Amino acid sequence: MAEGITLFPQSGMLMCVLLFITTFRHGVSGDKPDKKPNFIIILADDIGWGDLDTNQPERKSNNTPYLNLMAGQGLRFSDFHSPASTCSPSRAAILTGRYGLRNGVIHNFGVGSVAGLPLSEVTLPQLLQRAGYYTAMIGKWHLGHNGPYGPTKRGFDYFLGIPYSNDMGCTDIPGFNLPRCPPCDLSTPRVIRLKRSPQGGCYSKPGLPLIKNDTIVEQPLNLWTLTEQYKSAATEIIRNARDRGQPYLLYVALAHMHVPLAPALGSPPYGGQVYPATLREMDSLVGAIKSASDDTDKNNTLIWFTGDNGPWERKCQYAGSVGPFSGKWQTSRGGGSAKQTTWEGGHRVPTVAYWPGRIPANTTSSALLSGMDIFPTLLSLANVTPPADRRYDGIDATDILLHGEQSGHEFLGHPNSGAAGQFGDLQAVRMGNHKAYYLTGSAEACGGATGRQELHDPPLIFDLQHDETEETPLDVESPEYQAAMERISQKREELLWDIATDTSVSVADYSTDTSAVPCCNPEHAVCRCHTG
């Protein structure tokens, strides 16, 4: 009896110590609380790493005050990368956690695309929907709009947005673009439904459609009121979450900062300040979403802001800032080093995560991460297991988000997204501070220069820790180069073999047909309608 009485307090003390350690390490409720968390993913379009004020505080700009606040109250990532350097491949990888060489999406879908993200691919919203989540999307889809490829067929309960980029259709009051695009063709006879100008890729037909769920509600849409429509829909979804009694995923794929830029007409005089005005409008939308979330379920909602790729350099004054990641080796030889390229400016994107009480405030992570990591991380936090019949490339970043760990990807590939070479090929790879390039060139810079395509054998290798501008590659004879080359070659070959032997690889259908062009009224010029 006495022994039993003696052991009980010791066991109780041990339990208290273990509870204290667990609380200190994981927080009171652990990484996977009984109440499933809400998720808000905000994906900016064509945004530069340097567009976020807190990434370049020395500039003392004030274009992103709400994102600055979110970073101050949460976590800023300094080495976060989009999975590709153009729209469709990046979005497909984010929603599947897989490189384009696996999920099949290696370049953009078009206005007349008959298909989209292969139906064999399983998406993040599908998995969360099956786990009891309400799933909603607002903004740009760009993963197929015809038949079973639209967002409401790929896991979203609700959709309001554009089926592709906001420059892939005409509008009556065009936004700012380079070159300037004309308004919709106002001719009245029955028209050919797809008409694109050879000058600068401007469309005169069809009108840019706004779709709600599966129905076109406005064509052409009004670019200048789109932000307010998105804001109203997003905040309503968040505020109605409590009444639904379900956790939710809200994916907001912004039109900002893709051309044509259309900051609110009430903005200050533009002058040469169109891009900053648009950036401030984007930031205000992010602020409204954060405010609505804070007012409803603040401590149970993760907001993750990032970008789909870097700025579209050829748009000159209407393109964003890559910050210090200027790709000087390429720009000194002509050609672009941002969107569509594998240079840092093409895929290093501003990224902030915010979750009061869970993510430590005012912290910065230098972990090497990718947009592909959103898929496994959110599933892990929701305690959802992804299908085991396929291979994934994203990693679970929960410990980086919640506990300050700094170890991300050991090795990360960057696919060709429209510059030199074959679409989807992993033409640049990153390992630690070293980055290797096997093929460069052929992306258009401001002014029209593209730079010639160059194959590098052996590859160019840069040390990003000491040369973030990527100006001077390592000497191939140096010990540093030789050691880096050996490690990179081994890991690259392992990854390529893993993809080559992956039986779950999908292949996208990129065929087009005019019958697949979204059109609410084929009898009218530019398919004009407004159903409200």
Side-chain angles (χ1 to χ4, degrees), residues 220-235:
L221 60 77
N222 185 343
L223 288 171
W224 304 88
T225 62
L226 189 61
T227 300
E228 284 303 315
Q229 292 185 73
Y230 284 177
K231 181 187 296 183
S232 176
T235 54

Side-chain angles (χ1 to χ4, degrees), residues 167-169 177 179 181 196-204 314-315:
D167 64 340
M168 294 172 66
N177 201 348
C181 290
R196 188 171 186 173
S197 164
Q199 287 82 29
C202 296
Y203 287 80
S204 58
R314 60 185 270 192
K315 297 300 179 178

